[in-house]
């Protein structure tokens, strides 16, 4: 009786309510509504993977408070779902069906409806469906909304045809982008932001009979059909049905070439029109072909478009009108035999301002995935995948198909300028599951092997290019000066000389410095980042969210800037690096009178130093949405950054706003046409060098090498060389395969932890996230007798030695800053594991982390200590040195501090009292130079001669012999008097001053 009364009230209010769907009478042949949620207690409050209702939000305060409340005015039953909310970021609630149960099939219904108690606040409430995939947390999200502009109860009807694919966020990047409705995993509501409110909801149910357009669709095999002048375009039109069921009712397709394109009917092509029908009973997948002949006039001209209008009756029509494109032809820029400079000049002279602005715009793939036609509409020059932005499935073939699909859209532009697609492949093709994941840069710095750095770049380039990606946002050339920085592991080390030595990775990525190898299918354009000083930001200076040091302020004198932070960039320019990315950070240069200025706004550094003094002739690309951090409004951000020397802006989502604003600034005279032409010329030059005009699509011939044994062998060798032996009492390491080994610790058997951030997703994650070998598995592969107990809770008696693998869990950028939920201490679980194992037996502790960890209070109880850094997917490499297949040869790329209070601490500091000095690294080689100061004096003389003769190989070998001798002498007695000259010697070695390096080592020897 209560429900009947309310329905009468709802009918009386219908004329006052804005949603026509409310109160809509059911059709005579409509099925009875099917209940989804009654909120009478049948659905619990529970979090995935259990089925139930759960809340979520941007921070601790954003999730709403929910309850099942008994109300006399409940539209259905006795209880309703009620809630209160006060959301500053985002928040809402979801009903997920249990993972263990079959997904629900809603394909027979017209839509979903529910009762909602309105408060007339005028705010939109988003309603979301979870469609397809393995479960509710791996499904597509489809969304629509209704407006709370009424009061009292109202039944909201949402037809499934009103839902659109979410482009801003997908849990796994999308399944097929088709709302199939046959595998539904639940629904969710996103509540309004910026108000304190309450809500009540009841009676969620499916209603109505599905239109055939929800069960049948007509698609074309492409949206763009490039064809050479005089050729015939063939458009395949395919019928698809939900569940591949035979067609219930006939579907008719009428087609015609229409006006609206740039080609002329009759002169450029033969107009066509017609109609065909898929009769009832037609099987899903049936195809018809439409042919559009083009005509040849032999004149040189840009590309011309021909829209093909399709009118579909009885099924869902294609989302976009297909376009036939007569390829551009006969124009000089298309002639691959001409010099690049001439091709650039010719193309630039033909382009409009809108086309030039498009080339300077870089959008994230997710921003255009639902509207790919915008690639042509806005003449976009570049797309990227942010960290974790991947196709589904995340396979090489899916990457190539995705990028080729985007590249095809660019063929519909006048000059068919190809896109340049970029990714953050910072330690291998790390977004791709199954790729070879190299040690992070900090481990490469520890390996001190330029040839291996080159090999790592070469493997990365091969795997990246094989998926259709020609551009890598790597390497990071930051000089990390404070281990509290969350990006420490992206640096090769704290010494600019070490960073410069590892820049051979650029040649591994790009090939020869003149760029002539870029068009090869195993090379990619490299990016030197982040210009300049991102590794030197002051702790506490960041103004980005809860970050403490990342994106902060670098406060230096000009001399310090030149010596420490700028030095690696001149080397990168000399190596022909094709692009440079400025830093999020600000530069506060003593004496320049400007104070802290965002690097994206520093014309003196980008135009003046980088492009001017250093002679950089590539292009400068912004970091992710970084120009938004420049003070001022958006127009000012665009004007300031472009005038400062930025050539391409990673918007990454606001590509329409940027495109419009950039043109407005040029038209107003606030950005010169000359600056625009310079920017576009630089971008086009690299596209020509990459061979994209001749081969815009993916060359997947190298895909079989992705994750190959040969590639993994390089990563394995690099992982082994990166291991730094800090302590080795009584020769505990290497282990013998005959020894019984007790293994413990959180990072011993975790491929995600040992790979670190920027692995599959931006932040990375623990667990079995990609293919590879954990350290534990590597030890077993080495033939060791191994027992594993993660928390060391298993009995510890009867073992010869313990190996405890501890360290950090993954993070990236400022999320890893110390003070932002992180510190440099081991976790309590890891401390317990170390204490238990090392109290019971002789033990080795491996620290898997992107930076030093503070273990000083436990150092006396540890027999052997290894800095394993983040070795990547090849744990066999770590096992190789543990069991003596390879010798420990790695050296510290960073100073290992005793306490956080010492930070920042770096080689060259006046006061220097570390736990282990920069350059420290014991070896397990059997032969170490014997002798004392007399021997060192002789080595110093020989090293001096090698220096004069510029004999790098001999000089390094002599310094290495001296270093190992001195380390043997110092042992565990590291003092300021021994540490400082020892670290200074390593810096001198890297700068080629071999005699001086040995003299510093002599000083350390005498102080020991």
């Amino acid at each position: 009786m209560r429900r009947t009364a309310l329905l009468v009230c709802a009918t009386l209010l219908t004329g006052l309510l804005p949603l026509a769907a409310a109160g809509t009478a059911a059709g005579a042949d409509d099925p009875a509504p099917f209940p989804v949620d009654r909120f009478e207690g049948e659905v619990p409050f529970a979090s995935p993977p259990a089925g139930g209702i759960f809340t979520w939000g941007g921070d601790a305060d954003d999730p709403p408070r929910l309850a099942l409340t008994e109300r006399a005015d409940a539209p259905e039953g006795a209880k309703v779902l009620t809630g209160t909310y006060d959301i500053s970021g985002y928040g809402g609630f979801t009903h997920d069906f249990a993972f263990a149960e079959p997904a629900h099939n809603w394909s027979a219904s017209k839509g979903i409806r529910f009762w909602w108690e309105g408060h007339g606040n005028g705010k939109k409430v988003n309603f979301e469906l979870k469609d397809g995939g393995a479960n509710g947390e791996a499904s597509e999200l489809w969304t629509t909304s209704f407006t709370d502009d009424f009061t009292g109860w109202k039944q909201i009807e949402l037809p499934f045809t009103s839902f659109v694919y979410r482009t801003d966020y997908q849990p796994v990047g999308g399944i097929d982008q088709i709302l199939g409705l046959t595998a539904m995993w639940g629904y969710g509501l996103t509540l309004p932001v910026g108000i304190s409110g309450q809500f009540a909801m009841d009676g969620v149910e499916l209603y109505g009979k599905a239109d055939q357009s929800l069960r049948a669709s007509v698609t074309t095999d492409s949206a763009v059909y490039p064809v050479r002048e005089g050729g015939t375009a063939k458009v395949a039109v395919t019928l698809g049905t939900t569940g591949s069921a035979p067609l219930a009712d006939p579907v008719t397709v009428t087609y015609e070439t229409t006006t609206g394109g740039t080609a002329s009917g009759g002169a450029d092509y033969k107009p066509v029109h017609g109609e065909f029908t898929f009769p009832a009973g037609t099987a899903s997948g049936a195809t018809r072909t439409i042919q559009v002949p083009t005509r040849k006039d032999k004149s040189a001209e840009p590309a011309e478009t021909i829209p093909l209008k399709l009118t579909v009756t009885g099924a869902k029509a294609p989302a976009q009108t297909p376009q036939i494109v007569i390829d551009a032809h006969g124009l000089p820029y298309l002639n691959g035999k001409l010099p690049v400079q001439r091709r650039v000049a010719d193309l630039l002279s033909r382009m409009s301002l809108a086309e030039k602005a498009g080339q300077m715009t870089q959008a994230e793939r997710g921003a255009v995935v639902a509207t790919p036609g915008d690639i042509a509409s806005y003449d976009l020059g570049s797309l990227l995948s942010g960290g974790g932005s991947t196709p589904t499935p995340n396979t090489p073939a899916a990457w190539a198909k995705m990028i080729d699909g985007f590249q095809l859209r660019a063929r519909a532009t006048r000059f068919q300028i190809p896109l340049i697609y970029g990714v953050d492949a910072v330690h291998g093709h790390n977004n791709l599951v199954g790729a070879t994941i190299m040690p992070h840069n900090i481990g490469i710095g520890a390996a001190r092997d330029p040839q291996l750095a080159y090999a790592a770049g070469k493997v990365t380039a091969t795997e990246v290019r094989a998926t259709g990606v020609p551009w890598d946002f790597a390497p990071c050339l930051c000089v990390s000066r404070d281990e509290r920085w969350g990006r420490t592991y992206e640096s090769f080390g704290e010494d600019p000389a070490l960073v410069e030595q590892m820049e051979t990775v650029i040649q591994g990525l790009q090939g020869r410095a003149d760029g002539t190898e870029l068009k090869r299918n195993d090379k990619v354009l490299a990016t030197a980042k982040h210009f300049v000083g991102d590794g030197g930001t002051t702790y506490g200076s960041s103004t980005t969210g809860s970050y403490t040091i990342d994106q902060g302020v670098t406060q230096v004198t000009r001399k310090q800037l030149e010596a420490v932070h700028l030095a690696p960039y001149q080397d990168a320019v000399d190596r022909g690096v094709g692009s440079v990315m400025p830093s999020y950070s600000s530069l506060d240069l003593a004496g320049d009178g400007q104070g802290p200025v965002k690097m994206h706004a520093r014309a003196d550094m980008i135009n003046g130093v980088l492009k001017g003094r250093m002679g950089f002739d590539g292009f400068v690309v912004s970091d992710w949405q970084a120009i938004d951090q420049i003070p001022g409004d958006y127009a000012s951000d665009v004007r300031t950054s472009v005038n400062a020397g930025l050539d391409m802006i990673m918007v990454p989502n606001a590509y329409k706003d940027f495109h419009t604003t950039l043109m407005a600034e040029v038209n107003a005279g606030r950005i010169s046409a000359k600056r625009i032409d310079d920017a576009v010329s630089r971008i086009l030059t690299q596209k020509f060098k990459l061979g994209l005009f001749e081969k815009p699509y993916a060359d997947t011939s190298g895909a079989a090498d992705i994750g190959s044994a040969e590639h993994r062998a390089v990563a394995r060798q690099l992982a082994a060389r990166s291991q730094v032996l800090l302590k080795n009492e009584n020769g505990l390491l290497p282990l013998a395969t005959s020894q019984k080994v007790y293994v413990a610790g959180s990072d011993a058997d975790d491929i995600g932890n040992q790979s670190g951030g920027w692995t599959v997703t931006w932040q990375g994650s623990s667990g079995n996230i990609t293919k590879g070998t954990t350290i534990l598995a590597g030890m077993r592969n080495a033939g060791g007798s191994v027992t594993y107990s993660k928390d060391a809770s298993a009995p510890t008696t009867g073992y010869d030695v313990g190996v405890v693998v501890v360290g950090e869990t993954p993070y990236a950028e400022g999320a890893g800053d110390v003070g932002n939920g992180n510190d440099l201490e081991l976790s309590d679980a890891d401390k317990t594991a170390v204490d238990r194992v090392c109290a019971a037996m002789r033990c080795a502790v491996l620290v898997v982390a992107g930076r030093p960890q503070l273990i000083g209070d436990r150092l006396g109880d540890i027999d052997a200590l290894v800095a394993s850094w983040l070795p990547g997917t090849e744990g066999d490499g770590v096992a190789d040195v543990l069991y003596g297949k390879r010798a420990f040869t790695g050296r510290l790329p960073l100073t290992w501090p005793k306490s956080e209070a010492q930070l920042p601490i770096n080689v060259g500091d006046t006061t220097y009292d570390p736990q282990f000095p920069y350059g420290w690294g014991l070896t397990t080689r059997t032969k170490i130079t014997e002798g004392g100061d007399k021997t060192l004096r002789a080595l110093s003389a020989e090293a001096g001669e090698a220096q004069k003769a510029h004999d790098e190989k001999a000089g390094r070998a002599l310094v290495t012999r001296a270093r190992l001798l001195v380390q043997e002498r110092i042992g565990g007695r590291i003092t300021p008097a021994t540490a400082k000259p020892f670290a200074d010697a390593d810096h001198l070695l890297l700068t080629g001053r071999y005699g001086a390096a040995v003299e510093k080592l002599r000083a350390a020897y005498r102080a020991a």
Side-chain angles (χ1 to χ4, degrees):
M1 183 174 181
R2 181 191 306 133
R3 181 183 174 104
T4 303
L6 285 165
L7 288 172
V8 171
C9 291
T11 303
L12 291 173
L13 286 169
T14 298
L16 302 176
L17 300 179
L19 286 183
T24 301
D29 60 346
D30 280 357
F34 183 84
V36 177
D37 280 340
R38 299 181 65 236
F39 302 121
E40 299 299 311
E42 76 281 7
V43 179
F45 294 111
S47 296
I53 300 169
F54 65 95
T55 62
W56 38 266
D59 57 38
D61 297 327
D62 283 349
R65 275 70 61 194
L66 302 182
L68 296 177
T69 304
E70 189 165 341
R71 287 193 26 179
D73 64 344
E76 191 280 326
K79 295 179 180 179
V80 301
L81 178 69
T82 61
T84 59
Y85 61 92
D86 185 3
I87 301 167
S88 59
Y90 64 89
F93 63 93
T94 295
H95 178 188
D96 258 9
F97 307 140
F99 284 20
E101 295 178 3
H104 296 198
N105 188 338
W106 292 357
S107 63
S109 300
K110 180 179 181 179
I112 190 167
R113 66 189 181 192
F114 51 90
W115 290 89
W116 187 266
E117 185 180 35
H119 294 277
N121 57 36
K123 297 287 187 177
K124 282 188 175 182
V125 180
N126 290 324
F127 191 98
E128 193 165 84
L129 299 177
K130 295 189 163 191
D131 175 69
N135 54 59
E137 298 306 293
S139 58
E140 285 184 347
L141 304 181
W142 290 75
T143 187
T144 190
S145 66
F146 64 93
T147 303
D148 185 348
D149 54 2
F150 55 93
T151 56
W153 286 105
K154 176 181 177 182
Q155 193 173 42
I156 306 296
E157 291 192 351
L158 303 174
F160 291 134
T161 52
S162 69
F163 284 82
V164 296
Y165 184 82
R166 275 191 65 173
T167 59
D168 57 334
Y169 171 75
Q170 290 289 340
V172 292
I175 308 301
D176 57 11
Q177 298 182 29
I178 296 173
L179 183 58
L181 298 170
T182 59
M184 304 301 296
W185 292 101
Y187 66 87
L189 285 88
T190 302
L191 297 167
V193 177
I195 62 170
S196 296
Q198 57 186 13
F199 70 89
M201 182 182 185
D202 200 15
V204 183
E205 62 185 20
L206 306 179
Y207 73 94
K209 180 181 178 181
D211 297 331
Q212 180 166 277
S213 62
L214 278 171
R215 300 194 303 270
S217 62
V218 168
T219 59
T220 57
D221 57 331
S222 180
V224 178
Y225 294 84
V227 60
R228 289 186 178 183
E229 187 185 42
T232 298
K234 296 179 181 180
V235 180
V237 180
T238 302
L239 173 74
T241 62
T242 299
S244 298
L247 196 62
D249 299 304
V251 171
T252 301
V253 179
T254 302
Y255 62 88
E256 62 176 327
T257 49
T258 66
T259 58
T262 56
S264 299
D268 296 316
Y269 66 96
K270 179 183 177 182
V272 299
H273 66 278
E275 178 181 290
F276 56 84
T277 299
F278 294 104
T282 300
S284 180
T287 299
R288 302 287 190 274
T289 301
I290 302 168
Q291 297 193 39
V292 181
T294 67
R295 291 177 173 165
K296 201 164 188 176
D297 59 16
K298 298 183 180 179
S299 61
E301 55 192 348
E304 297 172 306
T305 57
I306 309 164
L308 180 64
K309 182 181 178 182
L310 300 179
T311 304
V312 179
T313 304
K316 186 178 180 181
Q320 291 183 309
T321 299
Q323 286 192 88
I324 290 89
V325 181
I326 304 173
D327 285 338
H329 52 277
L331 301 173
Y333 77 89
L334 295 169
N335 185 353
K337 295 180 180 179
L338 293 178
V340 167
Q341 191 173 1
R342 275 192 61 188
R343 298 178 75 184
V344 170
D346 176 69
L347 178 52
L348 190 69
S349 71
R350 301 173 186 279
M351 295 171 68
S352 68
L353 175 59
E355 289 164 331
K356 293 174 182 177
Q359 288 301 302
M360 296 175 66
T361 307
Q362 184 182 57
E364 215 284 333
R365 58 170 286 279
V368 299
V369 72
T371 55
D374 282 354
I375 292 171
S377 298
Y378 290 89
D379 296 287
L380 296 182
S382 180
L383 295 180
L384 81 147
S385 280
S389 180
T390 67
T392 299
N394 189 350
T395 63
W399 274 89
K401 181 180 178 182
M402 174 187 72
I403 295 170
D404 282 354
F406 291 137
Q407 206 63 272
L408 182 63
R409 294 290 184 156
R411 305 300 290 172
T413 59
R414 267 206 313 164
F415 300 114
Q416 299 183 307
I417 303 173
L419 295 165
I420 180 169
Y421 199 100
V423 296
D424 285 281
V426 297
H427 63 139
H429 196 357
N430 43 255
N431 281 304
L432 173 64
V433 171
T436 306
I437 304 301
M438 298 288 170
H440 268 294
N441 281 356
I442 198 67
I444 297 177
R448 306 290 180 93
D449 189 329
Q451 286 304 309
L452 267 181
Y454 168 85
K458 187 176 179 181
V459 168
T460 299
T462 300
E463 298 198 2
V464 169
R465 195 72 183 252
T467 59
V469 178
W471 185 15
D472 186 3
F473 304 133
C476 185
L477 302 184
C478 53
V479 182
S480 179
R481 306 292 284 180
D482 192 328
E483 285 75 27
R484 290 171 292 189
W485 188 35
R487 301 192 83 141
T488 294
Y489 63 77
E490 293 188 53
S491 172
F492 292 115
E494 70 185 33
D495 185 349
L498 175 57
V499 175
E500 290 180 60
Q501 189 180 81
M502 296 299 107
E503 289 186 51
T504 50
V505 69
I506 293 173
Q507 258 59 67
L509 293 168
Q510 289 196 172
R512 288 197 290 263
D514 61 5
T516 54
E517 292 184 321
L518 277 172
K519 62 182 63 177
R520 285 174 34 170
N521 68 352
D522 61 350
K523 296 300 176 190
V524 294
L525 195 75
T527 308
K529 65 182 188 182
H530 303 91
F531 186 84
V532 60
D534 55 335
T537 49
T538 301
Y539 188 80
S541 65
S542 181
T543 56
T544 301
S546 56
Y547 294 4
T548 58
I549 184 169
D550 189 34
Q551 303 185 22
V553 180
T554 301
Q555 299 169 308
V556 287
T557 64
R558 185 167 294 278
K559 183 178 179 181
Q560 290 169 329
L561 179 69
E562 294 282 349
V564 177
H565 300 290
L566 271 174
Y569 286 92
Q570 183 64 68
D571 188 62
V573 171
D574 294 342
R575 289 180 177 275
V577 72
S579 64
V580 169
M581 182 183 291
S583 173
Y584 279 117
S585 58
S586 299
L587 178 62
D588 187 357
L589 196 55
D592 73 352
Q594 297 187 67
V597 179
K598 284 286 183 182
M599 273 307 309
H600 281 72
R602 292 214 63 140
D604 60 331
M605 299 305 301
I606 299 171
N607 283 331
V609 174
L610 179 64
K611 291 182 173 180
R613 190 187 81 195
M614 291 184 177
F616 174 62
D617 59 5
F619 68 91
V620 178
V621 60
S622 85
D623 209 331
W624 179 281
Q625 210 170 341
I627 69 167
D628 295 1
Q629 295 187 10
I630 300 172
D633 59 20
Y634 192 63
S636 172
D637 294 345
V638 171
R639 177 172 66 250
T640 300
S641 60
V642 172
N643 284 334
L646 269 72
D647 304 307
M648 182 184 287
I649 307 299
M650 191 186 292
V651 268
N653 298 308
Y655 58 89
K656 296 178 184 179
D657 291 341
F658 173 75
H659 191 268
T660 300
T661 303
L662 178 59
M663 288 198 297
E665 289 298 298
V666 175
N667 288 329
R670 290 185 285 268
I671 299 175
S672 71
K674 183 179 180 182
R675 172 75 271 269
I676 297 297
D677 284 353
D678 173 60
V680 177
S681 295
R682 289 169 176 271
I683 294 164
L684 294 177
T685 296
Q686 299 304 325
K687 289 186 176 185
F688 279 118
K689 286 184 176 181
L690 284 162
L692 295 177
F693 281 82
E694 289 70 41
K695 294 182 178 180
Y697 303 117
D699 179 347
T700 59
S701 59
D705 292 327
I706 295 174
S708 66
E710 181 182 357
H711 286 186
R712 291 184 184 275
V714 174
R716 176 176 182 167
Q717 183 180 4
L718 191 47
R721 294 290 298 273
S722 71
Q723 303 299 294
V724 180
L725 184 59
L726 300 172
K727 180 181 179 181
N728 194 26
E729 288 292 324
N730 300 315
L732 177 66
L733 295 177
L735 304 172
T737 55
S738 59
Q739 289 177 302
K740 292 184 66 177
V741 182
Y742 186 102
V743 180
S746 62
D747 288 358
D749 195 31
D750 195 306
I751 202 77
N753 284 0
Q754 74 185 44
S755 297
W758 292 105
T759 307
V760 182
T761 59
W762 173 40
Q763 291 291 318
S765 60
S766 301
N768 188 25
I769 61 172
T770 191
K771 297 176 183 177
T773 305
T774 65
I775 294 171
L776 176 67
M779 294 176 69
R780 287 173 171 158
N781 291 342
S785 174
V786 172
T787 297
Y788 175 57
S789 175
K790 181 176 180 178
D791 60 359
S793 59
T796 55
T797 56
Y799 293 92
D800 298 311
V801 64
V803 174
V804 191
V805 189
V806 298
E808 297 182 306
T809 53
Y811 55 79
E813 299 190 34
D817 284 355
V818 168
N820 187 21
N822 297 278
D823 54 38
L824 299 180
E825 298 282 347
L826 299 180
S827 68
D828 289 343
D830 277 347
K831 288 177 180 177
T832 299
V834 170
D835 292 344
R836 285 177 179 171
V837 175
C838 293
M841 65 193 82
R842 297 178 69 203
C843 70
V845 173
L846 277 59
V847 180
V848 174
R851 53 195 170 190
Q853 302 292 285
L854 303 175
I855 41 77
D857 55 344
R858 286 173 168 76
L859 188 57
D861 300 322
I862 296 170
D863 297 287
L865 179 65
V866 179
S868 287
W869 309 111
L870 298 169
T873 52
E874 305 315 298
D876 282 324
V878 180
D880 285 343
V881 292
L882 287 179
Y883 280 97
K885 183 177 181 179
R886 296 181 186 271
F888 277 95
T889 57
R891 284 141 55 202
L892 282 182
L894 300 168
T895 300
W896 196 286
K898 289 180 177 178
S899 69
E900 191 176 317
Q902 287 185 311
L903 299 175
I905 181 172
N906 295 286
V907 58
D909 288 354
T910 304
T911 302
Y912 192 71
D913 183 20
Q915 189 89 66
F916 299 101
Y918 170 77
W920 186 264
L922 305 176
T923 187
T924 49
R925 284 179 175 152
T926 53
K927 291 184 179 180
I928 295 177
T929 299
E930 296 180 354
D933 189 58
K934 183 178 179 180
T935 302
L936 287 172
R937 189 164 59 248
L939 289 172
S940 176
E942 290 183 64
E945 291 302 315
Q947 181 177 330
K948 291 177 184 178
H950 303 289
D951 188 342
E952 181 180 355
K953 183 178 180 181
R956 288 180 177 277
L958 290 163
V959 177
T960 297
R961 288 171 61 191
R963 180 178 62 82
L964 295 176
L965 188 158
V966 172
Q967 281 184 159
E968 187 86 0
R969 165 83 167 187
I970 295 173
R973 304 180 304 279
I974 299 173
T975 65
T978 58
K980 182 170 174 50
F982 185 93
D984 291 343
D986 205 62
H987 171 72
L988 291 167
L989 165 64
L990 291 168
T991 56
R993 289 172 283 180
Y994 311 122
V998 178
E999 283 303 307
K1000 286 288 185 181
L1001 289 169
R1002 286 185 67 197
Y1005 182 90
R1006 290 193 294 267

